[in-house]
Amino acid sequence: MTDKYVIGIDFGTDSVRAVLLNAMNGEETASSVSHYPRWKDGLYCKASMNRFRQHPLDYLESMEQSVKHCVKQAGGDTSNNIIGLSVDTTGSTPVAVDKTGTPLCFLPGMEENPNAMFVLWKDHTGVEEAAAINRYAENTDINYLRFTGGIYSSEWFWAKLLHILKEDELVRKHIYSFVEHCDWIPFILTGGKDVRQLKRGVCSAGHKALWAEAFGGLPPNAFFAAIDPLLDGFTDKLFSKTYTADQPAGVISPEWAAKLGLPANVVIGTGAFDCHMGAVGGEIEPYQLSRIVGTSTCDIM
């Protein structure tokens, strides 16, 4: 039987790491690390304001470099037998996009706008917005925070969305949807052109965006509209269905297959968060505590 191979890509705070594994026995065949150049130069960040933003080109360029390096290490026979690729990222690290799923910083006139870039997990500019969410949620008939530890964080999806909507008129004018980094990368790799077709992972949707089966999806529009009128109607621009990480997001696009030097039939997995995939990789079992130690530490049970 011919060996088959898979690629795992981990987008961290400072760099992207790619690993090429033999899917038949789990052995590592190649690995590579590529640092984000703009982030390394401190661009688009202001620590005194707790503002930490990342440019999407840092992700795309570093991913391309890392994967191509792995493929080169592995050699032609191996690279021809790569069948799958999945990613994990930091989170909540969302970005404002237009209808095509393009980050707003790629639009004319918004190239240097930090609010049009990815809002990194450790960005805390949305402290006031998170407080507003918590104040309102305390008095609702349904506890929409019960699956997130009972309190909403400034590091998460809705607080970050509300903050950039309040702060930036240009973003308000051009935003169509808000997308997590772990969902955007598979969308890009599969050649996505319509953000309404973007597959959202339950990992990010449940933990950061308040999606839950118990609610029938996201909390209702009335919940968000009562927090701030700027959120009125925004759930219509998001999603109702989510996907688990064992489900495919699609097949790699011809463009990205050529860029990365991969076969045209590589399956792209649904994205997830780094800490959650760390627990899976550590073979977590029920009632076990898994500590994932990185730039931050995540306790998972």
Side-chain angles (χ1 to χ4, degrees), residues 60 63-64 68 187-193 251-264:
L60 299 180
M63 173 177 64
E64 183 177 350
K68 287 168 72 173
F187 175 75
I188 292 299
L189 289 175
T190 55
K193 300 295 183 185
V251 176
I252 195 167
S253 70
E255 177 190 2
W256 275 100
K259 276 187 179 183
L260 301 179
L262 298 177

Side-chain angles (χ1 to χ4, degrees), residues 103-118:
L104 297 188
C105 63
F106 287 145
L107 302 185
M110 304 183 76
E111 296 91 342
E112 300 297 314
N113 184 347
N115 290 328
M117 299 175 188
F118 282 89

